Amino acid sequence: MGYYLVEGGHTIGGEFVVRGSKNAILPILAASILTQDEVVLDNCPDIADVKTSIEILQQLGCVVKQEGRSLMIDSSTIVQTCIPEYMVCKMRSSVLYLGALLARMHHAEIGHPGGCEIGRRPIDLHLRAFEKMGVHIKEEDHIFCCDAPVLLGYHIYLEYPSVGATENILLLSVRAEGTTVIHNAAREPEIITLVRFLRACGAEIYGEGTPTLMIEGVRRLHGAYFTIPFDRIEAGTLLCASAITGGNIYLYGPERQYMESTLEVLKQAGCLLRYDEEGIYLQSPKQLLSDFSVATGPYPAFPTDMQPLVMSLLTLAKGTCIMSETVFEARFRHVEQLCHMGANIQIHGRNAAVFGVERLLGADVVAEDLRGGAALILAALAAEGKSKVFGSRYVERGYENIEDALACLGGRVHLYKKDE
Ligand code: EPZ
């Protein structure tokens, strides 16, 4: 198992250009098979989940070329509508190929999607919506075999504003006959980006960023050239890395309007934030503060993906923070490891009480999911002494060479990988 060797006590600061968004590019890569024309994506992050997506696209028969941060996808020939289990289980967003393949080929076979084990993460909302739109679904040996001879627009009422379900219904409906309306749709920035990409390919979609999306099915989509926006969670991660080590940092790229709830928490923790048209500047306080509570929730609430990172930050704050995780039922797996480094955190159901301590001590810790792993790296940056953060493969799924990024910002972080 690969690990990050982190030497604590070095300030993280300076200037950095944030990379392209993982959670924006993954649905767009699935959406690229909705057109037989070439799609060109720019500002692509070089992360494991993108590599897995390319493997899936090639498995389906697409030709994918990479030049620097650009990806060219030619899906004029789809030869396969079944995605093997070993690919599907690597990441959650593999489920989006269900909607894309059904829209393009009217048939799809995929296993249960993988991804971070932060809860059960069922796909019932996806499947129920699909059935309403004419998809016949059979589950045999954990494989979903789906046929959709005719796809018809429908009014879908989501019980929960699921990001993935909203994305999957968008992919299924853009070429369906008639009008689809998604009620209680997710409002995340990544939904807005996906709609903009689909619209660039000729889709007719209205209401992105609101709880109601309306899609007028069209017969075909054309190719597009599209730039992936900056990753708001990577930006939040680096702001926290600087704040936990007493640094000052300027990030080029992140759009303030999509980070308001995260920035508000950093301000409550005592950070000074400044903005200009190109990015965000953070100045750390002498002493972090934490006498407040924060709850995760669907956008525009505080993002669940930032919960582990802000928790790390607040382990060294003066005061107590009650953090409520309302989105995923098992997203506190980093807590035990943070306590192993000297943090004082108590879990009560979906709430964690983070009691600030004077110091963290370097230790060997194990990541069990993507953002939890990044949170452990942040804690190690501020801890006294050295730490080994095992489970680098989780972190590599969503952060492009985070060891290099932190090293060029003043950190002492090295990645050691044995054969995984
Ligand atoms: C996306 O996951 C993101 N992943 C997650 O980021 C993010 O945490 C999450 O949205 C919430 O913002 C990608 O975009 C690849 P959901 P997704 O469907 O789509 C329940 C990261 O670290 N639910 O909005 O899986 C589900 O169990 C990752 O980058 C159902 O019950 O999130 C969860 O409790 C982690 N049935 C809640 O809804 C369903 O059919 C939110 O899930 C679907 C979801």
Side-chain angles (χ1 to χ4, degrees):
M1 191 193 286
Y3 65 89
Y4 296 95
L5 179 63
V6 184
E7 182 182 288
H10 302 279
T11 300
I12 299 297
E15 296 186 354
F16 190 80
V17 179
V18 174
R19 275 74 68 92
S21 164
K22 158 178 113 66
N23 289 348
I25 192 171
L26 295 179
I28 288 173
L29 287 167
S32 66
I33 69 170
L34 291 172
T35 172
Q36 300 186 358
D37 299 344
E38 184 178 72
V39 164
V40 179
L41 304 177
D42 202 6
N43 195 35
C44 301
D46 181 15
I47 55 177
D49 276 9
V50 167
K51 292 186 175 74
T52 301
S53 300
I54 292 171
E55 273 176 42
I56 291 175
L57 290 169
Q58 290 169 334
Q59 159 76 14
L60 298 177
C62 303
V63 176
V64 183
K65 294 193 194 97
Q66 188 160 2
E67 280 172 23
R69 290 190 175 278
S70 291
L71 280 175
M72 283 70 77
I73 301 127
D74 171 0
S75 56
S76 51
T77 315
I78 298 280
V79 297
Q80 174 70 265
T81 57
C82 168
I83 304 175
E85 182 67 17
Y86 77 90
M87 289 184 179
V88 172
C89 68
K90 283 185 182 175
M91 61 179 191
R92 171 77 177 178
S93 55
S94 51
V95 71
L96 301 177
Y97 289 87
L98 207 50
L101 278 169
L102 285 166
R104 170 77 186 266
M105 305 297 286
H106 298 277
H107 180 79
E109 290 182 34
I110 76 160
H112 277 269
C116 289
E117 291 176 21
I118 50 182
R120 274 187 330 104
R121 304 186 83 178
I123 59 170
D124 55 317
L125 300 178
H126 302 235
L127 301 179
R128 276 214 295 273
F130 282 21
E131 286 173 331
K132 291 205 168 66
M133 295 178 66
V135 181
H136 306 298
I137 301 168
K138 278 185 296 181
E139 189 176 353
E140 291 160 3
D141 304 329
H142 297 293
I143 301 289
F144 293 107
C145 302
C146 304
D147 283 295
V150 178
L151 282 170
L152 298 170
Y154 200 83
H155 277 250
I156 306 289
Y157 294 82
L158 287 177
E159 281 168 36
Y160 182 90
S162 156
V163 171
T166 302
E167 291 166 342
N168 231 342
I169 298 164
L170 275 168
L171 299 182
L172 190 72
S173 60
V174 285
R175 292 180 49 174
E177 290 178 29
T179 304
T180 300
V181 180
I182 308 173
H183 300 271
N184 197 27
R187 300 166 54 193
E188 271 70 5
E190 291 74 29
I191 300 292
I192 297 175
T193 302
L194 177 59
V195 168
R196 287 179 177 158
F197 169 75
L198 291 169
R199 198 176 282 142
C201 295
E204 285 184 38
I205 305 172
Y206 311 91
E208 69 273 18
T210 77
T212 307
L213 285 171
M214 184 170 81
I215 305 101
E216 295 291 354
V218 294
R219 291 191 64 74
R220 70 181 303 278
L221 295 177
H222 51 72
Y225 175 90
F226 191 80
T227 299
I228 302 299
F230 299 97
D231 192 317
R232 61 190 174 107
I233 306 300
E234 177 177 73
T237 302
L238 293 172
L239 292 174
C240 288
S242 191
I244 199 173
T245 57
N248 302 327
I249 191 168
Y250 182 82
L251 298 180
Y252 286 95
E255 293 166 272
R256 173 188 180 179
Q257 61 173 327
Y258 294 139
M259 295 186 65
E260 287 298 1
S261 53
T262 297
L263 298 171
E264 184 51 40
V265 170
L266 291 173
K267 264 189 267 184
Q268 284 183 288
C271 298
L272 176 67
L273 290 154
R274 292 276 182 274
Y275 314 96
D276 62 24
E277 63 285 351
E278 287 187 295
I280 298 174
Y281 171 75
L282 174 141
Q283 181 179 315
S284 305
K286 294 246 177 302
Q287 171 64 60
L288 289 161
L289 305 168
S290 70
D291 277 333
F292 56 87
S293 60
V294 60
T296 67
Y299 191 88
F302 178 71
T304 174
D305 292 349
M306 283 302 304
Q307 176 261 106
L309 303 151
V310 166
M311 183 182 284
S312 265
L313 177 68
L314 299 181
T315 60
L316 287 171
K318 187 169 184 299
T320 301
C321 181
I322 305 298
M323 299 192 81
S324 304
E325 175 50 68
T326 73
V327 178
F328 290 105
E329 68 271 23
R331 199 170 198 170
F332 284 146
R333 302 175 69 184
H334 44 285
V335 169
E336 184 185 348
Q337 301 296 307
L338 287 172
C339 293
H340 188 48
M341 299 176 79
N344 181 1
I345 307 167
Q346 290 172 16
I347 296 176
H348 306 280
R350 288 213 175 182
N351 298 319
V354 184
F355 303 92
V357 295
E358 291 284 317
R359 67 178 61 81
L360 295 176
L361 301 175
D364 288 2
V365 289
V366 182
E368 297 184 74
D369 60 71
L370 164 58
R371 306 301 175 183
L376 295 176
I377 293 174
L378 261 55
L381 289 168
E384 292 176 5
K386 290 184 180 177
S387 302
K388 285 183 182 176
V389 180
F390 291 90
S392 60
R393 69 183 185 285
Y394 293 111
V395 180
E396 290 177 285
R397 286 192 45 212
Y399 292 95
E400 181 182 322
N401 305 326
I402 195 170
E403 68 281 4
D404 296 340
L406 292 170
C408 77
L409 289 165
R412 297 276 176 82
V413 187
H414 297 282
L415 172 60
Y416 293 91
K417 283 176 80 168
K418 299 190 183 100
D419 298 333
E420 288 203 282

